[in-house]
Amino acid sequence: SYDLTQPPSVSVSPGQTARITCSGDELPKHYCFWYQQKAGQAPVLVIEKDTERPSGIPGRFSGSTSGTTATLTITGVQAEDEADYYCQSADTGGTYHVIFGGGTKLTVL
Amino acid sequence: EVQLSESGGALVQPGGSLRLSCAASGFPFTNYALSWVRQAPEKGLEWVSAITASGGDTFYADSVNGRFTISRDNDRDTVYLQMDSLRVEDTALYYCARYYERSGYYFFKHWGQGTPVTVSS
């Protein structure tokens, strides 16, 4: 197993760009997935396979990777984007083993 | 519409046992692997266990290996998590989630709403 490290919190004003990072030594070998979790709700997938946006996810959400770091970018943040965000990747334990980052609380000021 | 509905969460004493259920609908149950993911109060997501579509293979996080058992009844479209020797640190909201696979990588597009488990004396 290994760790995926995220900043505990990110704060931005409405209309600005939020960037949430996820770092892990194994990330260059595996895809990264991103989930949004609003208070009291189940997680929602917002980015799959590093950069792909599932249907129904607004275009302001995008993903990228560079080396051992994956980044979720929210361009033109809206108040409704305030949530916890988690990265997820494959763990080293086997096919179905997955690992989550510790989560980042996005606050819209 | 894909639906996953968990039940069985409760308050239990340390060392006790509990069985969680997840009833699925809206998709061909026997085609998909399923997972349990938990979230301790004010904490992040933690993968707990997985079971293949046939039920022939099961997988566990180190933190629960040897204490939890995942199973499925493909006639009832239900997946279970038998939790034994429960510890205070097992206190969490337990989500059932359906795996999706793309290019050999597994992730989750559908989750239940979770069932709460509290381990306390």
Side-chain angles (χ1 to χ4, degrees):
Chain A
S1 190
Y2 65 104
D3 292 330
L4 292 176
T5 302
Q6 299 181 234
S9 63
V10 169
S11 299
V12 296
S13 298
Q16 290 189 327
T17 296
R19 294 180 179 86
I20 299 171
T21 58
C22 173
S23 299
D25 289 342
E26 298 291 316
L27 281 183
K29 305 176 188 177
H30 303 299
Y31 286 118
C32 185
F33 302 82
W34 289 93
Y35 300 87
Q36 175 195 67
Q37 186 181 34
K38 296 184 178 179
Q41 298 183 21
V44 173
L45 181 73
V46 293
I47 292 292
E48 59 184 87
K49 289 183 63 181
D50 291 343
T51 62
E52 299 181 16
R53 199 171 52 251
S55 62
I57 301 302
R60 62 182 181 273
F61 289 87
S62 64
S64 61
T65 63
S66 178
T68 59
T69 300
T71 302
L72 172 69
T73 301
I74 310 172
T75 305
V77 166
Q78 300 182 7
E80 67 197 51
D81 299 329
E82 185 163 288
D84 294 323
Y85 291 85
Y86 295 91
C87 59
Q88 177 241 303
S89 191
D91 201 356
T92 53
T95 302
Y96 291 92
H97 290 239
V98 302
I99 184 171
F100 291 95
T104 298
K105 170 66 178 180
L106 174 65
T107 300
V108 181
L109 301 171
Chain B
E1 180 190 3
V2 174
Q3 290 194 340
L4 299 166
S5 180
E6 304 94 336
S7 61
L11 170 64
V12 61
Q13 292 188 337
S17 296
L18 206 57
R19 189 177 83 156
L20 307 182
S21 301
C22 171
S25 62
F27 65 95
F29 186 73
T30 56
N31 287 6
Y32 290 90
L34 292 157
S35 179
W36 289 95
V37 176
R38 68 184 180 184
Q39 187 168 33
E42 305 303 316
K43 299 293 185 183
L45 302 169
E46 180 188 14
W47 176 81
V48 172
S49 183
I51 188 166
T52 55
S54 67
D57 291 290
T58 58
F59 308 88
Y60 300 94
D62 290 344
S63 57
V64 306
N65 196 25
R67 300 187 299 121
F68 289 12
T69 303
I70 191 171
S71 62
R72 64 192 292 161
D73 184 337
N74 283 349
D75 291 328
R76 297 178 183 270
D77 290 2
T78 301
V79 64
Y80 304 98
L81 187 67
Q82 176 67 41
M83 304 187 295
D84 299 319
S85 303
L86 281 161
R87 304 168 180 169
V88 170
E89 55 265 35
D90 294 319
T91 295
L93 186 64
Y94 283 74
Y95 290 103
C96 174
R98 193 186 93 174
Y99 276 104
Y100 279 78
E101 179 270 336
R102 288 194 62 194
S103 304
Y105 288 87
Y106 289 83
F107 58 102
F108 308 106
K109 273 189 180 179
H110 291 98
W111 302 66
Q113 286 304 305
T115 186
V117 172
T118 303
V119 185
S120 175
S121 53

